[in-house]
Amino acid sequence: MKGLFSALLVPYDENGQVKEQGLREIIRNNIDVQQLDGLYVNGSSGENFMLTTEQKKEIFRITSEENNGAVKLIAQVGSINLDEAIELGKYATELGYDSLSAVTPFYYKFTFDEIKNYYDAIIEATGNNMIVYAIPALTGVSVTLEQFDQLFENEKVIGVKYTDGNFFMLERLRKKYPDKLIYSGFDEMLIYGAISGVDGAIGSTYNIHGKLAKQIFDLVQKDEVAKAYEVQHVMNDIIEKVLELGLYQTLKEVLKVKGIDAGTVKKPMSSFDPAKQEAVKKLVEDFNL
């Protein structure tokens, strides 16, 4: 389960329905072109929190079929509706996903005991492994080191997707839990996570430049940190431009330039501004995406 995972993009049509063929093309790009080690399915990059339960299942199914055992699969099933999280967890487990993941429950001010019970309930109902998805900037939930101690008491909690800029906490987690999987979740900070000893990373922009992310990770493993920094500079130049143009919209437009039917974003997100099309083409050309 170590390595680089794409936070899988999902193409939608103008009515908000999943474009199956386009999704299969995005999956193939991640596996065959970007040569990533796995796919993180139905996370933020898949616009998951705007989907129906049936759409989430559809994405899990299509991804499992197209992957056909090629790379590792992690199913993000988190929801503030625990029944839905369990239903999705059972479904992904039946499809053979290598692990589940779940965002910390959000919106309501859940106590830590409630959060821990949420993870334990999903694990008990599915029998599958769990990767905690910690992203406090979006959920408002910060898990302390002592709370991670309690979460990791469940042997089925095998790791964490750590999308946080607190590198002191990351270092403390790495030192205390050398046998747990820690994935870096900030693409623009990949090198810092790699230097801190993470086991891998999960990123949305890897859909278009996964090969660069792998270079960074591999160079750090070889203690060639200066070279890794140079690659991170290039990757961050790309990320900076993508963010300027609109994150998910631009990632999909880049894939379209490459001949992949990446569809549009799910409403209420705004569709891509056609006036920015030339800027996307230039981005693809300038960085050989």
Side-chain angles (χ1 to χ4, degrees), residues 132 200 241:
V132 174
K241 191 63 178 178

Side-chain angles (χ1 to χ4, degrees), residues 111-249:
T111 67
F112 175 70
D113 284 344
E114 290 169 335
I115 292 171
K116 184 177 185 300
N117 290 338
Y118 157 91
Y119 285 113
D120 288 342
I122 298 171
I123 292 167
E124 183 178 359
T126 64
N128 206 337
N129 292 325
M130 172 61 67
I131 295 165
V132 174
Y133 182 8
I135 182 166
L138 295 184
T139 62
V141 179
S142 294
V143 182
T144 68
L145 190 64
E146 292 74 21
Q147 289 170 342
F148 272 116
D149 291 342
Q150 295 180 58
L151 292 174
F152 286 148
E153 285 175 0
N154 189 325
E155 63 180 15
K156 288 285 190 177
V157 179
I158 61 172
V160 56
K161 180 187 177 188
Y162 187 83
T163 308
D164 194 342
N166 184 343
F167 286 95
F168 175 59
M169 168 69 88
L170 178 59
E171 181 273 334
R172 294 288 85 188
L173 276 172
R174 179 74 293 168
K175 181 176 185 294
K176 192 166 189 180
Y177 295 103
D179 297 326
K180 295 292 185 180
L181 291 168
I182 301 178
Y183 299 99
S184 175
F186 274 134
D187 306 13
E188 62 272 31
M189 301 182 192
L190 174 58
I191 188 167
Y192 308 112
I195 291 169
S196 299
V198 297
D199 299 291
I202 300 168
S204 57
T205 62
Y206 301 169
N207 284 271
I208 65 169
H209 60 50
K211 288 185 287 187
L212 291 179
K214 289 206 75 173
Q215 283 181 37
I216 293 168
F217 200 73
D218 292 344
L219 285 167
V220 171
Q221 307 309 304
K222 298 175 184 176
D223 290 326
E224 297 183 39
V225 175
K227 290 183 180 179
Y229 262 113
E230 291 303 313
V231 182
Q232 183 76 68
H233 292 325
V234 173
M235 198 164 92
N236 283 0
D237 286 342
I238 297 169
I239 291 171
E240 187 173 51
K241 191 63 178 178
V242 167
L243 291 175
E244 176 189 323
L245 296 171
L247 177 56
Y248 301 127
Q249 296 90 336

Side-chain angles (χ1 to χ4, degrees), residues 39-109:
L39 304 172
Y40 187 87
V41 186
N42 274 336
S44 308
S45 302
E47 302 162 56
N48 171 77
F49 303 107
M50 296 181 284
L51 304 180
T52 67
T53 304
E54 290 309 309
Q55 285 177 316
K56 295 173 187 180
K57 286 184 174 181
E58 180 183 11
I59 293 163
F60 283 142
R61 175 187 58 79
I62 293 168
T63 304
S64 176
E65 288 177 357
E66 188 62 38
N67 180 59
N68 194 28
V71 298
K72 297 294 185 181
L73 297 180
I74 300 172
Q76 198 292 125
V77 301
S79 169
I80 58 172
N81 180 340
L82 180 57
D83 293 334
E84 182 192 42
I86 288 172
E87 180 180 346
L88 292 171
K90 288 180 176 179
Y91 185 72
T93 299
E94 290 169 1
L95 289 172
Y97 277 69
D98 298 282
S99 178
L100 304 180
S101 181
V103 68
T104 50
F106 51 91
Y107 187 81
Y108 298 103
K109 298 296 183 182

